[in-house]
Amino acid sequence: MSKRAQSAQGAIVKPPQRDENVLVVMGACLLGFSSLLYCSSHGLMLLYGDAVAHLHIARRIFDSNNPGIAQLGGVWLPLPHLLLLPFVQKMLWWQTGLAGAWPSMLCYVASVVGLYRLGLRMMPHRWALMAAALFAVNPGLLYLSSTAMTEPLFLALLIWGALQTVEFCAAMKAGESRRAVNKLVCMTLLLVAAVYTRYDGWIFAAAAWCVTLAAMVRYRDVVRARVMTAFVLFTLLLAAAPVGWLAFNAHFFHDPLDFLRGPYSAAAIEKRTSPPGAQHYRGWHSPAWALLFYMRAAQVDAAAGESGFLVMALALAGLAVAFARKLFGRAGLALLWVPLPVYVYSIAYGSVPLFIPQLYPHSYYNSRYGLEMLPALALSACVALSALQAEWSVPRPKLARALLPVAIVLTLASTGWLLWKKPLVLQEAYANSSTRIPFETALARQIEIAGLDGPILMYNSDHVGALQIAGITLKQTVNEGDYDRWQAALADPATHAAWVIAIAGDPVDAAVKAHPQGLVEETVICTTGQPCARVFYSSVYHGAKTSAPQPANSF
């Protein structure tokens, strides 16, 4: 490494100035609001079934016959749904998906600022800004930041958790015990939040704790003694977070590992959705295939076409450079790579398939998981380019000066291509909603035509979007969220609900077939690619209609 490069690397660990932060925030807000306007005007915010489900979980905490924290469920972690609570109470925002956009957009802005600040720990401000821009303009990320999906929240926690870990190490190295304690407090809040956002947050929190422990051991004894109490509390709270989730599952679902082996776990869903006798997906118990699928998904999510290979190569080189040259922020950079081993393990051994059109079976499923590598790829690639520019600054000054403009042009070209072709996560959203949304829209139309004005027996876990579109409150339905009432209604549908919506293959459909007494079929809704739904009214329910309604047209 040349002396000039060493000098350049040694002058980049100061925090950003206030006006720099303001400019980055303004740029991120502009991009975020532009994406929100586009996605809302084109009806894109509810394409993901998971986005509908997240809004449903948040809504049922208060809009339910049995409201309370038990409605959080035991599989998806609770923080994303709790953050949605202030927004999802507005009916229009729930119906349009706008309730999920506000917290996601705030997390997107925070992510961009955090990545810029972390980048300043490893490279000059122009390259830190380049890394933030490469991350911020990614169309897939911008799309998810307008939805109720959990990725924007987790990315914000991942980036800021890594940043605060690096700043804690900096405070320990400088002997600033008070600042180190403040950073531990911030880390506690961020890492506990990550634990309650996604399960990869559990591994991320453990990795950050290991980095913190290494800093405690490495730096001055006097500072360590002053920080020790805060570190012990940090450790205890971090350990208590996953234990709290196990206790929640044990209390409400009678199994502390319900999220791993319960009826709504990834293993149960994978078993239920696989055709009888079908082979496991490629990557099952094969870490090599799992690594190939995940890294390829990360590349396609990060850049247009085959340019993802270049981004990945630069990122791997940047990670190597950061450790070879002992850049101060290398621990934070390594923490951003935590999703890689987590998802390789999850694909291989956690019943989490990942399909992208570039690899067999050439379909779409969970491709958005690759976006969790975007902060690592953006930052690592710019570390490599920054180091290359520093090396070339004397022997090849023209090439060195051209690196940044070339990187900007390539980033804009990649962004334009992804916008034209649609990013992978949006392609998946379109593909997997192409039959669900027409079915739920048709069912919602029939609900509105029939004017369902009493309790509705309906299984809400699969097609709650129909109620959402129709503006039917969840409190009006008898559903699986109220166990006792639900079981009683399944045993005798006609006496427990004025209306019954049975979708082929769901528990209500089975109950209607077993106990059809007192039920009169009003309409049947069938659309391509979805099971048929049958709407019944009860002739024996207290307050039921005395005459049969005119049947609505079937679809």
Side-chain angles (χ1 to χ4, degrees):
M1 185 177 182
S2 67
K3 291 183 178 180
R4 186 183 181 100
Q6 290 176 346
S7 175
Q9 296 291 345
I12 53 179
V13 295
K14 63 180 182 179
Q17 300 299 313
R18 183 187 181 94
D19 56 344
E20 294 174 353
N21 278 330
V22 170
L23 288 175
V24 174
V25 169
M26 290 177 62
C29 286
L30 180 61
L31 287 170
F33 272 110
S34 299
S35 174
L36 177 61
L37 288 173
Y38 180 85
C39 292
S40 61
S41 63
H42 288 75
L44 305 181
M45 294 190 289
L46 295 174
L47 293 182
Y48 269 104
D50 281 1
V52 175
H54 288 307
L55 292 168
H56 168 223
I57 291 173
R59 177 85 187 182
R60 74 188 186 190
I61 293 173
F62 65 91
D63 180 11
S64 170
N65 290 302
N66 186 28
I69 61 171
Q71 297 295 341
L72 286 167
V75 177
W76 274 326
L77 288 157
L79 182 60
H81 310 117
L82 294 175
L83 294 179
L84 289 172
L85 269 177
F87 308 99
V88 80
Q89 296 184 50
K90 189 176 179 64
M91 175 63 77
L92 181 61
W93 287 3
W94 175 47
Q95 290 182 279
T96 61
L98 196 58
W102 301 122
S104 291
M105 191 171 64
L106 290 173
C107 290
Y108 163 78
V109 173
S111 298
V112 176
V113 176
L115 196 71
Y116 172 65
R117 291 172 64 95
L118 184 56
L120 288 175
R121 292 286 179 178
M122 290 172 282
M123 50 190 154
H125 74 277
R126 59 184 179 276
W127 284 107
L129 192 60
M130 183 68 231
L134 182 58
F135 174 82
V137 300
N138 182 272
L141 176 63
L142 284 166
Y143 166 62
L144 288 183
S145 297
S146 69
T147 71
M149 302 298 282
T150 61
E151 279 76 15
L153 171 60
F154 182 73
L155 287 177
L157 295 171
L158 177 75
I159 292 168
W160 278 91
L163 174 62
Q164 294 303 306
T165 303
V166 168
E167 293 190 348
F168 169 79
C169 295
M172 291 293 291
K173 183 177 182 180
E176 300 173 356
S177 57
R178 179 172 294 181
R179 182 163 166 258
V181 170
N182 291 337
K183 294 303 174 183
L184 276 178
V185 172
C186 293
M187 288 174 63
T188 301
L189 297 174
L190 291 165
L191 298 182
V192 169
V195 167
Y196 282 121
T197 297
R198 294 181 68 91
Y199 290 105
D200 24 338
W202 295 25
I203 308 302
F204 171 65
W209 180 85
C210 291
V211 173
T212 307
L213 177 63
M216 290 287 293
V217 171
R218 179 178 181 182
Y219 295 119
R220 308 174 187 178
D221 292 341
V222 175
V223 180
R224 183 166 59 244
R226 293 173 181 171
V227 176
M228 183 57 70
T229 301
F231 177 75
V232 170
L233 290 173
F234 164 70
T235 302
L236 292 175
L237 290 171
L238 214 55
V243 172
W245 186 240
L246 297 177
F248 180 88
N249 274 259
H251 177 74
F252 288 105
F253 306 102
H254 313 295
D255 181 2
L257 297 178
D258 181 74
F259 61 93
L260 282 178
R261 57 195 182 195
Y264 299 103
S265 64
I269 292 173
E270 195 266 332
K271 183 178 180 179
R272 188 164 59 246
T273 55
S274 297
Q279 294 183 344
H280 284 293
Y281 58 86
R282 185 170 290 182
W284 172 263
H285 286 195
S286 174
W289 274 108
L291 177 65
L292 173 64
F293 267 80
Y294 187 67
M295 291 192 73
R296 189 71 181 110
Q299 294 169 23
V300 178
D301 280 328
E306 305 309 310
S307 63
F309 286 104
L310 174 61
V311 174
M312 181 62 73
L314 286 172
L316 291 171
L319 184 64
V321 165
F323 279 86
R325 298 185 175 180
K326 298 181 179 180
L327 300 185
F328 189 79
R330 64 189 181 279
L333 183 62
L335 287 174
L336 296 183
W337 283 80
V338 164
L340 177 61
V342 170
Y343 278 104
V344 169
Y345 177 86
S346 298
I347 294 169
Y349 303 108
S351 299
V352 179
L354 188 153
F355 303 142
I356 56 175
Q358 287 77 10
L359 296 173
Y360 180 85
H362 310 293
S363 59
Y364 299 91
Y365 194 67
N366 289 334
S367 65
R368 66 187 184 279
Y369 291 162
L371 269 179
E372 292 199 16
M373 285 298 297
L374 185 59
L377 297 181
L379 201 58
S380 299
C382 287
V383 166
L385 292 173
S386 173
L388 186 61
Q389 185 180 60
E391 288 291 343
W392 284 357
S393 58
V394 174
R396 301 179 180 87
K398 291 184 179 180
L399 285 176
R401 288 194 296 270
L403 271 179
L404 185 58
V406 168
I408 293 172
V409 170
L410 290 177
T411 298
L412 293 176
S414 174
T415 301
W417 177 270
L418 288 174
L419 288 172
W420 180 42
K421 292 292 187 179
K422 295 186 180 62
L424 179 61
V425 293
L426 183 55
Q427 292 178 36
E428 177 183 343
Y430 274 121
N432 293 340
S433 66
S434 61
T435 61
R436 175 182 59 82
I437 289 181
F439 171 74
E440 292 177 353
T441 302
L443 179 55
R445 187 181 304 121
Q446 294 307 306
I447 291 173
E448 292 170 345
I449 291 172
L452 309 192
D453 55 354
I456 304 168
L457 176 60
M458 179 179 173
Y459 183 62
N460 286 355
S461 293
D462 289 340
H463 291 288
V464 72
L467 300 176
Q468 185 180 25
I469 295 169
I472 300 293
T473 62
L474 302 178
K475 192 176 295 185
Q476 188 180 339
T477 66
V478 180
N479 60 68
E480 65 278 15
D482 186 349
Y483 181 82
D484 294 334
R485 190 179 178 191
W486 169 251
Q487 293 300 322
L490 292 182
D492 189 1
T495 62
H496 288 83
W499 297 87
V500 176
I501 299 177
I503 301 173
D506 74 5
V508 178
D509 182 53
V512 168
K513 290 176 179 176
H515 310 285
Q517 301 84 3
L519 294 177
V520 180
E521 184 176 290
E522 177 168 346
T523 188
V524 178
I525 301 100
C526 291
T527 63
T528 304
Q530 290 290 330
C532 292
R534 293 182 296 158
V535 179
F536 301 85
Y537 76 92
S538 171
S539 61
V540 299
Y541 181 76
H542 178 68
K545 293 186 266 189
T546 56
S547 61
Q550 294 297 317
N553 293 329
S554 299
F555 283 77

